[in-house]
Amino acid sequence: NAGVTQTPKFRVLKTGQSMTLLCAQDMNHEYMYWYRQDPGMGLRLIHYSVGEGTTAKGEVPDGYNVSRLKKQNFLLGLESAAPSQTSVYFCASTYNRGLGTEAFFGQGTRLTVV
Amino acid sequence: GENVEQHPSTLSVQEGDSAVIKCTYSDSASNYFPWYKQELGKGPQLIIDIRSNVGEKKDQRIAVTLNKTAKHFSLHITETQPEDSAVYFCAAINQAGTALIFGKGTTLSVSS
């Protein structure tokens, strides 16, 4: 099993450009999450999904959009990238509700916006 | 919403010493508290968790304690080894019960 796979692993964007980060899991997990990790800020929840076709806002959703058209995939979109979105992005998934189940993380996507 | 505070932000110990990381949470309804370890260049991995119906849980050199009254929980690592060097995150469930809210992390350095 691959677990949680993120694509791409690295990306440099110019301010104003758009891009989509792809997260794929092969564990048949219902719940999927996008976090960003910044120095001194820990992991902050951007958006999450509790099932195919559903999405919800997390702690820091502004400037991002998400879609969960297929159960195994969770896409994170940046419509107009800003330098403040320079970060490492992590996708995670859990089998069931966030309560009491292990979250499996991808390897991360390092995004730089110049 | 849920807020998780974690201290210290950095911790340096000698090999063989113990390390303690502390977290507090804001939502008294939270009842699941995991700890994750993140090695350089990798995603976080679960190392231990505790539910609100127990006060302590151990797994070899790692233990977690929970004080629901005070709304704080701690990670204890005994007999530290260089491979314990990593960033450690505590977390709690958000108010909707649907996602984990993480602390800001503790960078643990174990020197030999």
Side-chain angles (χ1 to χ4, degrees), chain A residues 16-80:
Chain A
Q17 285 185 320
S18 63
M19 78 162 294
T20 300
L21 282 67
L22 171 63
C23 177
Q25 52 92 5
D26 61 2
M27 297 173 283
N28 199 33
H29 284 177
E30 288 291 336
Y31 283 52
M32 296 186 74
Y33 314 85
W34 277 107
Y35 291 89
R36 60 177 288 174
Q37 183 175 22
D38 303 291
M41 300 299 292
L43 292 159
R44 292 183 291 172
L45 182 66
I46 304 171
H47 285 281
Y48 63 98
S49 168
V50 301
E52 183 179 321
T54 72
T55 63
K57 294 180 179 181
E59 301 171 276
V60 289
D62 294 343
Y64 305 94
N65 56 76
V66 288
S67 65
R68 184 97 181 270
L69 298 180
K70 293 183 179 181
K71 185 177 182 178
Q72 64 268 33
N73 295 337
F74 195 29
L75 279 62
L76 178 70
L78 287 73
E79 290 188 349
S80 179

Side-chain angles (χ1 to χ4, degrees), chain A residues 33 35 37 48 98-100 103, chain B residues 31-32 36 38 51 93 98 100:
Chain A
Y33 314 85
Y35 291 89
Q37 183 175 22
Y48 63 98
L99 174 66
Chain B
N31 55 8
Y32 174 66
Y36 283 77
Q38 185 182 28
R51 290 168 175 77
I93 294 290
T98 50
L100 287 172

